[in-house]
Amino acid sequence: MRFEGSEQYVATRDLTLAVNAAITLQRPLLIKGEPGTGKTMLAEEVAGALGLPLFQWHVKSTTKAQQGLYEYDAVSRLRDSQLGEAKVADIGNYIVKGVLWEAFNCETPSVVLIDEIDKADIEFPNDLLRELDRMEFYVYETRQLVKARHRPILFITSNNEKELPDAFLRRCFFHYIKFPDKETMVKIVDVHFPGLKKNLLREALEVFFELREIPGLKKKPSTSELLDWLKLLLAEDIPPEALRSKDQKAAIPPLHGALLKNEQDVHLFERLIFMARQNR
Amino acid sequence: MLIDFFLHLKASKLPVSTKEFLVLLEALREHVVEHSLDDFYVLSRATLIKDETHFDKFDRAFGEYFKGVEALPGMDVLIPEDWLRDAVKKHLTDAERAKLEKYGWDKLMETLKERLAEQKERHSGGSKWIGTGGTSPFGHGGTHPEGIRFGGKSEHRSAVKVWAKREFRNLDDNVELGTRNIKIALRRLRHFARQGAADELDLAGTIAGTARNAGWLDLHMRPERHNAVKVLLFLDIGGSMDDHIRVCEELFSACRSEFKHLEHYYFHNCVYEYVWKDNARRHNNRIPLHDLLHKYGNDYKLIFVGDATMSPYEILQPGGSIEYNNSEPGATWLRRLTDTWPHAIWLNPEPEQSWPYRQTISMIHNLMGGRMFPLTLDGLARGMRLLSK
């Protein structure tokens, strides 16, 4: 099994190498990077490219590690016992399987995505150490050991909101998705908008990278924002000349709301443009 | 042979562990990468380094170790430093650049070997010799489209080797007090209580209730356990605190996610009758301290963060504040605060050894009744232990 990128996803050589190392050695791959660089997409694309089922576990601040394994629904069992239902006798009827259990049970090898692991409590990764290492866990209620039939290919994404514990990190491969350079960006845009006019793309990328260079932006526009913006430009049928506005009066790129998501940033940007115009 | 590489990384103070090293060897045995140094670089980074802030350090260590192994012909010749010193920078137009002949790799190596043999002096700005700023394919700061760079900065981003580029330079940080560590220290200050919506099954209560009901099910729910400790954070801002801004930010963000009831206010140097919540509007949106004294109950824990480094007048004299004309001295206000909230500590980012040499630090130290702690992990832990008593 090797991953070589896919039709909708441009993977750099570093990234494919890290993915393949994780697949070969059957270890989790931890992915970090700026928001919007395709961390979550990666798991979907790998699953798609290798033709494997994908199990997704989106982590929230209230998520507990146990929820990924299983949950015991004691309340409904108690209720059922009052009604004298037959299924009460088997505690297994009240064990709700979690994402990892489903993946461990899968007939074929599978891909598992644990998305935004840093959103959860700081002890969350520590609670999953044994599960990720041995790919097995114990169900206390039924005294049953759940073991993975095939070790799933595991992707974990993090946005760096919290630091992850060392013991956890030691068990993973790590890849930091860098912000794509211009060439990779052209490839990425090509994949998403095959018919895009060459000069519109060039102008748009120029504006985009210039915008990223502005110091002090709270949130730099990322790849996914660029793609949204291009979609809008195409929909509005804006000519490439409108983007090359450096010497024109209206220097704010059209539809910039798709790129700058923060009113302070828009404000800063407009102020910079205003200053630039005064200097002229 | 890789044992040396591993030890070299260890010696470069990278947090690598034996387990990760074994994984790397396993990956090599499984032929994850073919025989290419570039691929090995990516693989070893993915296995050994788990934090992008260490990438820069890793690049340097990797470069140092593999300098001799790069299998470049003639690399044993040492290139004198001064050849490479930034001297001249030529700015070529794109057309001129395109005109430069693109050497192939073999030819590049070949030529390099010849040049190394020929060249004996510092060279700068030309188009053949190794040096800085020229259009020769060797040296740095130059503009040959496919050159080999020797040290220095990548300015035109076309040198072939990756790790000398040090792309991750600005991500490197030498934080001793990571947010994670701070959070662990703050956890000492926990006081669990059950408040809010009942959404957890109270098993003991349910059993007792059901038994009392003669077997008829009586469900009891209870709220989940929360950390109910309440914290008032007073942060010194501006002036001499600028040096400590990062550590304060870290402390603040750790506090933010650790305590549910956290209120923060800013002051400058010492507390007087006004504090503020937003630094941008500190002069318009001031909050009278008297209001705060009445607003928050005495179950709040009070934490000051400040270097306590100022002029003694700012503590002792009315009108001593550098912000405005204060009618009562800072010491009075400080005493008022600690009277209202007896569980109070002062965290000081200045190193503890230097405290006795600063007059105002010892004054605040006394005003706080000795409850001043350095803003280090140990100091934080000691402070939290005192607060939780």
Side-chain angles (χ1 to χ4, degrees), chain A residues 211-234:
Chain A
L211 204 61
R212 274 183 62 86
E213 293 286 304
I214 295 179
L217 281 190
K218 284 217 158 153
K219 159 90 177 68
K220 287 183 182 176
S222 68
T223 318
S224 58
E225 272 133 21
L226 171 69
L227 295 178
D228 284 348
W229 186 52
L230 286 174
K231 209 181 282 169
L232 283 176
L233 288 181
L234 281 183

Side-chain angles (χ1 to χ4, degrees), chain A:
Chain A
M1 264 193 295
R2 282 188 83 80
F3 173 67
E4 303 288 352
S6 72
E7 283 185 5
Q8 307 96 50
Y9 192 84
V10 178
T12 56
R13 193 173 160 70
D14 306 14
L15 182 59
T16 48
L17 210 149
V19 170
N20 285 326
I23 294 176
T24 318
L25 295 188
Q26 305 186 317
R27 260 161 232 275
L29 177 63
L30 172 66
I31 307 268
K32 278 200 215 169
E34 269 184 57
T37 38
K39 299 189 290 290
T40 309
M41 284 273 288
L42 177 69
E44 292 167 18
E45 292 302 327
V46 171
L50 300 178
L52 301 176
L54 173 68
F55 296 93
Q56 303 194 36
W57 184 11
H58 298 282
V59 174
K60 293 185 287 183
S61 67
T62 51
T63 307
K64 303 244 158 48
Q66 187 66 27
Q67 293 168 347
L69 310 176
Y70 67 92
E71 277 178 295
Y72 171 45
D73 190 355
V75 175
S76 64
R77 187 170 184 224
L78 279 172
R79 287 241 161 79
D80 282 357
S81 77
Q82 294 286 298
L83 304 170
E85 291 222 10
K87 65 177 191 177
V88 161
D90 184 5
I91 196 167
N93 289 330
Y94 299 92
I95 303 274
V96 184
K97 288 177 187 169
V99 178
L100 284 181
W101 192 337
E102 299 280 355
F104 286 2
N105 253 352
C106 190
E107 295 290 337
T108 57
S110 58
V111 178
V112 176
L113 168 69
I114 302 182
D115 204 13
E116 319 220 23
I117 195 165
D118 54 327
K119 296 279 177 297
D121 189 75
I122 51 173
E123 293 306 337
F124 179 89
N126 280 336
D127 295 344
L128 284 176
L129 288 182
R130 181 182 145 88
E131 284 71 17
L132 299 185
D133 216 21
R134 312 273 300 270
M135 295 287 179
E136 62 179 35
F137 60 89
Y138 192 72
V139 187
Y140 295 97
E141 282 78 4
T142 55
R143 294 183 189 78
Q144 166 193 12
L145 184 73
V146 177
K147 225 177 150 123
R149 298 184 187 194
H150 306 273
R151 285 178 75 97
I153 302 166
L154 194 62
F155 291 97
I156 301 164
T157 71
S158 162
N159 266 328
N160 243 354
E161 270 184 29
K162 297 191 182 90
E163 280 177 58
L164 300 171
D166 287 344
F168 174 78
L169 292 174
R170 270 202 292 281
R171 286 165 170 81
C172 312
F173 280 98
F174 172 66
H175 186 76
Y176 183 85
I177 300 191
K178 260 188 316 181
F179 195 81
D181 52 12
K182 241 180 192 167
E183 285 159 42
T184 320
M185 199 52 117
V186 171
K187 273 192 224 156
I188 293 174
V189 173
D190 236 26
V191 157
H192 287 264
F193 305 102
L196 199 65
K197 282 168 266 170
K198 267 267 145 7
N199 41 356
L200 175 68
L201 176 59
R202 207 186 48 236
E203 299 294 344
L205 279 184
E206 212 116 285
V207 171
F208 174 71
F209 276 97
E210 246 168 56
L211 204 61
R212 274 183 62 86
E213 293 286 304
I214 295 179
L217 281 190
K218 284 217 158 153
K219 159 90 177 68
K220 287 183 182 176
S222 68
T223 318
S224 58
E225 272 133 21
L226 171 69
L227 295 178
D228 284 348
W229 186 52
L230 286 174
K231 209 181 282 169
L232 283 176
L233 288 181
L234 281 183
E236 299 276 317
D237 209 12
I238 289 184
E241 296 78 46
L243 296 179
R244 203 189 309 122
S245 45
K246 271 174 221 154
D247 25 57
Q248 288 174 12
K249 275 215 165 149
I252 301 173
L255 306 166
H256 63 274
L259 290 173
L260 298 171
K261 300 286 178 65
N262 187 307
E263 67 201 68
Q264 277 135 305
D265 283 353
V266 176
H267 194 68
L268 173 79
F269 181 60
E270 282 167 351
R271 224 168 37 207
L272 282 174
I273 299 242
F274 180 70
M275 274 157 53
R277 233 180 280 164
Q278 281 193 323
N279 288 341
R280 204 171 294 140

Side-chain angles (χ1 to χ4, degrees), chain B residues 153-222:
Chain B
K153 267 196 344 217
S154 163
E155 281 164 23
H156 296 273
R157 291 173 187 273
S158 63
V160 190
K161 288 286 162 235
V162 196
W163 44 89
K165 262 200 250 166
R166 299 183 55 191
E167 286 183 60
F168 294 94
R169 186 161 17 199
N170 52 3
L171 293 177
D172 194 1
D173 56 355
N174 285 314
V175 225
E176 284 159 22
L177 257 171
T179 10
R180 185 177 172 82
N181 291 338
I182 296 183
K183 274 186 209 162
I184 303 275
L186 290 178
R187 289 211 158 174
R188 289 175 194 276
L189 189 57
R190 271 182 168 181
H191 170 67
F192 283 114
R194 297 183 185 277
Q195 281 171 343
D199 52 3
E200 196 182 79
L201 178 69
D202 179 2
L203 202 57
T206 305
I207 293 172
T210 309
R212 225 174 291 124
N213 262 1
W216 187 249
L217 188 59
D218 180 17
L219 282 181
H220 282 255
M221 305 295 276
R222 63 180 173 192

